[in-house]
Amino acid sequence: MFVFALAVVFKLVSIQFVQGEKYRALAEKSTTRDFPIPANRGNVYSADGSLLATSIPKYDIRIDAIQAKDATFEKFLGALADSLHAYKGKPASYYKNIIRRARKNKNRYFLLARNISYSDYIRMRNFPLLNLGAIKGGLIVEQTTRREHPMGGIAERTIGYERKDANGNFTRPGIDGAFGVKYLQGKDGKRLKQKIGNGQWKPIADFDQIEPQDGYDVYTTIDVNIQDIAHHSLLKQLEIYEADHGCVVVMDVKTGEIKAISNLGRNKNGKYYERLNYAVGESHEPGSTFKVMALMAALEDKVIDTSTVVDTKKGRKSLYGRVITDSGNGYGEISAARALEVSSNIGMATIIDEHYSKQPEKFLNRLSSWRLDKTLGVAIIGEGVPDIPRPGAVNWSRNALPSMAYGYNLEMTPLQTLAFYNAIANDGELIKPRFLKSVKSFDKDIEVFKKEVLVEKICSDKTLNEIRDILKNVVIRGTGKRMYSKTFSMAGKTGTARTDYANTQEWYKDRKYISSFAGYFPADNPKYSCIVVIHKPSTKVGIYGSDVAGPVFKRVAQKIYTDTPIIDEVEVLNFEDNLVEADFESYYDVAQKYKELMPSVVGMPAMDAIALLENLQVDVRVKLNGNGTVRKQSVKRHQKLQTNQTIVLEAS
């Protein structure tokens, strides 16, 4: 027994003094642990500084009910209950009872408030007992952050987010996802917590061991006004045509800055939301919008000129066993320029087949020199890969080349198509589309993004001028003539392509199309380029690009033009109501002389009416009641206006 007692004493001394540090460290490791404190993600702003995405801090307030001494607990419990009553509404006696019960049950992690704002957190931590802190009062504060999008569903997918699933995998779409790791994420802090049983941990102190460093702020190229116009114009057309999904992108011609991008898809309930980033990620057969590239290649290679005559027959032509058709009864013998204006499939297929069938690589190399077979390398994750086949590929045949001439047997994304049209508008300079202007830490620039040129000159000035004239005529007298406005110039190309047609029989039972329009405005001095692509509109309502996508382009262009004037003439405003136009013309002559008279704005869209009134020589105040079309104005037509006079417009 004596020897056994000596052995026990020896072991105790050994554990206490020889191995003491080791076991103390193990004990501390099992009961205390550093927990990460997520840093606030940086904010995402529009070009004018409007907030697009931000991290909102939220707080859980708990109390270690047995931390405070008995005297302290009894002294402040009543006052704490009164404060909780004033804050949350339930009787003070209720809070007294539940906190006493928590102390009796030795609850060291009792919840007082969940998911509260910063201002409420500051208020609660000053409540009696809680204001003594973690050591004396038992205060426990846990912070989380939640990502908010102030613009709601508008451009939500483009602005993006970062999400982590149960398996630790991240999903990072849009700008927030693309630049999250490098700029927005910040550096997490650390906070020491102690295990208190039942898998729960509480902070040891009410301060952090390592403070988190917030992420940088990202300033995008998005213009919130243009974004709003694009979103609602697209939404309206998708609803009218009961389409599956669609997108619209607006790009600054000179800089390549993306001013608006909207992607809307329909859910099972028929509602539209930002489902996927179709503009960046969805490759598809572009259809007739690609005819511009085909004709430009032939013009630049000098195998034809715009006056070259091509026979489009009577709307049907067999080529290598495949029948190619045009709308109606065809166009007969027409010029190459006219073939593009009327979007003749036969005309374009004939031109490309006759001049490139024996040397397809020449045509394909021209497309490659324009980077049409390569991604743009945009920052947003998930850019679709273009597919332009070459001889030897699985999808190459004798029909491949003529099919490509009118936009089939190849794939591109809407953004890739837009970048090329933008180059036409920009004197041949192919620019990489850009979503970011700068990255900042408060007012300090961390990184500034500038224009990136992919191809300095896509073709000669002669080819550029010729194709611009044709694109202008497409709107004046071609397939886009329904979009024509005598007071507002646009240029571009319509597109109507079959989709999901692999099974011919099934397709004829349920025909599906892609309707599009790509172009720029104003036609002679382009400021913005734009593309609209709408997938699977209802064939009962309409399918053609000029009918489905064209109105979206026109609406976006006119709204941008009137809200962001490019020239200082009131006459650029265009309204579809003939009575309003006639009234405006009669007023215009008087306004040029006096410019202090009240025009008639009844029948105009409210947004246009406000823009007109605020650009008169007299500074007036415009008050709008309602929205939509102006039905009534408080000041009569031709009445002389006074400085600071208030004009009330009633709209519905």
Side-chain angles (χ1 to χ4, degrees):
M1 292 293 293
F2 178 72
V3 172
F4 178 74
L6 285 177
V8 170
V9 171
F10 174 79
K11 191 63 178 177
L12 287 173
V13 171
S14 175
I15 291 173
Q16 182 71 24
F17 297 104
V18 179
Q19 298 176 301
E21 290 299 323
K22 174 184 174 182
Y23 288 113
R24 276 190 289 272
L26 287 172
E28 186 174 346
K29 184 177 180 181
S30 63
T31 58
T32 61
R33 185 189 301 172
D34 281 329
F35 282 77
I37 306 172
N40 285 329
R41 287 178 78 82
N43 295 330
V44 179
Y45 293 96
S46 68
D48 66 352
S50 299
L51 193 60
L52 300 179
T54 187
S55 292
I56 305 295
K58 295 293 181 180
Y59 300 87
D60 290 349
I61 305 297
R62 298 176 183 270
I63 187 171
D64 181 342
I66 64 173
Q67 181 69 29
K69 294 180 179 179
D70 289 343
T72 303
F73 182 82
E74 293 299 333
K75 179 180 179 181
F76 293 108
L77 178 60
L80 173 59
D82 290 338
S83 296
L84 289 170
H85 159 68
Y87 174 62
K88 301 185 76 173
K90 291 185 178 180
S93 58
Y94 167 80
Y95 295 108
K96 266 189 180 181
N97 291 334
I98 61 173
I99 295 173
R100 281 192 185 280
R101 193 179 308 121
R103 187 174 177 87
K104 181 180 179 181
N105 295 334
K106 301 186 184 301
N107 191 330
R108 308 197 65 179
Y109 201 59
F110 183 69
L111 180 68
L112 295 177
R114 185 189 296 278
N115 207 31
I116 63 175
S117 66
Y118 178 76
S119 58
D120 285 342
Y121 153 66
I122 293 298
R123 177 182 175 184
M124 284 197 70
R125 71 171 298 150
N126 287 310
F127 285 177
L129 188 61
L130 301 182
N131 61 2
L132 299 179
I135 305 301
K136 294 183 178 180
L139 172 66
I140 300 172
V141 179
E142 293 186 325
Q143 178 184 334
T144 57
T145 57
R146 188 172 65 207
R147 202 69 168 162
E148 298 282 353
H149 293 87
M151 289 183 68
I154 297 178
E156 185 175 13
R157 187 84 186 184
T158 301
I159 297 166
Y161 52 82
E162 179 180 273
R163 289 176 185 164
K164 185 178 180 181
D165 63 19
N167 298 319
N169 299 314
F170 285 93
T171 304
R172 295 185 172 106
I175 293 169
D176 203 315
F179 301 102
V181 174
K182 188 173 183 181
Y183 299 119
L184 293 165
Q185 189 169 274
K187 294 182 179 179
D188 291 348
K190 286 184 180 180
R191 192 171 195 184
L192 190 63
K193 293 187 178 183
Q194 182 180 28
K195 192 172 185 179
I196 56 176
N198 296 324
Q200 295 180 331
W201 297 75
K202 76 160 193 173
I204 291 178
D206 59 355
F207 58 86
D208 303 326
Q209 275 64 41
I210 300 177
E211 291 294 331
Q213 297 179 25
D214 292 345
Y216 296 130
D217 294 329
V218 166
Y219 285 77
T220 72
T221 60
I222 299 295
D223 183 304
V224 291
N225 293 322
I226 298 177
Q227 180 66 44
D228 185 67
I229 292 167
H231 174 88
H232 287 98
S233 297
L234 177 64
L235 177 61
K236 177 181 179 181
Q237 205 71 353
L238 290 173
E239 291 175 339
I240 291 173
Y241 283 87
E242 302 172 9
D244 182 75
H245 65 275
C247 66
V248 55
V249 186
V250 181
M251 183 172 173
D252 186 285
V253 166
K254 297 298 181 185
T255 65
E257 293 181 352
I258 299 299
K259 292 300 179 183
I261 177 170
S262 182
N263 300 276
L264 296 175
R266 186 173 57 183
N267 64 16
K268 61 183 180 181
N269 298 319
K271 300 295 184 182
Y272 292 94
Y273 69 107
E274 287 254 339
R275 189 169 68 187
L276 294 170
N277 197 331
Y278 304 109
V280 174
E282 185 176 37
S283 296
H284 62 87
E285 291 178 313
S288 296
T289 54
F290 194 81
K291 290 174 182 173
V292 172
M293 292 76 153
L295 184 61
M296 281 184 66
L299 291 173
E300 188 66 6
D301 288 338
K302 297 182 174 57
V303 296
I304 63 162
D305 58 36
T306 54
S307 61
T308 298
V309 175
V310 57
D311 188 0
T312 65
K313 309 293 183 182
K314 294 182 179 180
R316 289 177 64 86
K317 180 178 181 178
S318 179
L319 201 61
Y320 305 120
R322 177 180 295 173
V323 176
I324 305 172
T325 60
D326 281 340
S327 298
N329 296 318
Y331 309 100
E333 293 186 354
I334 55 176
S335 68
R338 184 61 179 162
L340 185 59
E341 290 174 11
V342 298
S343 198
S344 170
N345 295 333
I346 296 173
M348 297 310 303
T350 300
I351 289 171
I352 299 305
D353 183 67
E354 285 184 357
H355 297 284
Y356 292 100
S357 60
K358 294 180 181 179
Q359 46 180 351
E361 291 291 349
K362 182 177 181 181
F363 178 75
L364 297 171
N365 289 340
R366 176 64 65 183
L367 301 183
S368 183
S369 72
W370 296 335
R371 292 181 57 91
L372 296 179
D373 57 346
K374 302 176 183 67
T375 60
L376 296 167
V378 295
I380 290 182
I381 298 168
E383 181 183 0
V385 178
D387 179 19
I388 298 180
R390 287 182 174 269
V394 175
N395 51 346
W396 184 266
S397 67
R398 288 190 301 173
N399 271 305
L401 207 60
S403 295
M404 290 166 66
Y406 53 95
Y408 286 85
N409 205 54
L410 60 95
E411 291 187 347
M412 295 176 64
T413 68
L415 191 61
Q416 290 156 4
T417 300
L418 176 62
F420 188 82
Y421 275 78
N422 192 81
I424 296 172
N426 190 26
D427 296 327
E429 191 176 58
L430 182 66
I431 305 171
K432 181 178 179 178
R434 183 158 52 93
F435 292 88
L436 288 195
K437 291 180 76 72
S438 63
V439 176
K440 295 186 177 183
S441 177
F442 297 100
D443 292 332
K444 180 183 177 183
D445 285 330
I446 303 301
E447 189 168 352
V448 177
F449 299 90
K450 297 181 179 180
K451 179 173 75 172
E452 186 175 340
V453 178
L454 301 177
V455 179
E456 291 187 4
K457 191 79 168 177
I458 59 172
C459 63
S460 66
D461 289 334
K462 181 176 183 296
T463 300
L464 275 176
N465 292 332
E466 289 171 342
I467 209 71
R468 281 174 176 170
D469 287 341
I470 297 172
L471 291 179
K472 192 190 302 184
N473 287 332
V474 168
V475 177
I476 295 173
R477 64 191 187 200
T479 53
K481 62 185 177 183
R482 292 186 183 181
M483 299 169 57
Y484 174 70
S485 168
K486 64 180 181 179
T487 55
F488 180 81
S489 63
M490 297 168 283
K493 182 70 186 73
T494 58
T496 307
R498 296 182 181 187
T499 187
D500 296 351
Y501 58 85
N503 187 322
T504 306
Q505 282 188 325
E506 289 298 320
W507 186 86
Y508 276 106
K509 291 179 183 177
D510 182 15
R511 303 185 184 207
K512 296 181 176 67
Y513 294 89
I514 300 173
S515 305
S516 59
F517 189 92
Y520 49 85
F521 57 92
D524 295 321
N525 183 26
K527 173 67 175 174
Y528 297 106
S529 58
C530 178
I531 188 168
V532 181
V533 181
I534 295 179
H535 286 250
K536 303 176 185 177
S538 171
T539 54
K540 296 177 182 178
V541 187
I543 60 169
Y544 293 108
S546 58
D547 298 330
V548 182
V552 179
F553 183 97
K554 183 178 181 180
R555 197 176 301 124
V556 168
Q558 287 185 314
K559 290 295 183 183
I560 293 174
Y561 203 77
T562 53
D563 290 355
T564 313
I566 299 169
I567 56 177
D568 298 327
E569 294 178 349
V570 185
E571 63 187 13
V572 301
L573 298 172
N574 175 53
F575 311 105
E576 296 181 0
D577 192 315
N578 292 329
L579 294 175
V580 175
E581 285 196 12
D583 185 65
F584 180 76
E585 291 295 336
S586 64
Y587 157 73
Y588 182 72
D589 292 336
V590 179
Q592 292 305 297
K593 292 182 180 180
Y594 300 99
K595 297 188 178 181
E596 296 178 352
L597 303 181
M598 177 67 189
S600 172
V601 295
V602 174
M604 292 184 184
M607 187 182 298
D608 297 339
I610 293 172
L612 174 61
L613 295 174
E614 290 183 345
N615 280 285
L616 297 175
Q617 282 194 351
V618 182
D619 290 330
V620 295
R621 298 175 181 176
V622 183
K623 181 180 179 182
L624 176 65
N625 294 328
N627 53 61
T629 304
V630 177
R631 300 299 180 195
K632 187 177 179 182
Q633 60 189 59
S634 63
V635 180
K636 293 182 179 179
R637 176 189 178 198
H638 287 181
Q639 182 174 325
K640 190 171 182 179
L641 297 170
Q642 305 296 324
T643 301
N644 293 325
Q645 182 176 354
T646 299
I647 301 171
V648 180
L649 303 180
E650 301 287 342
S652 61

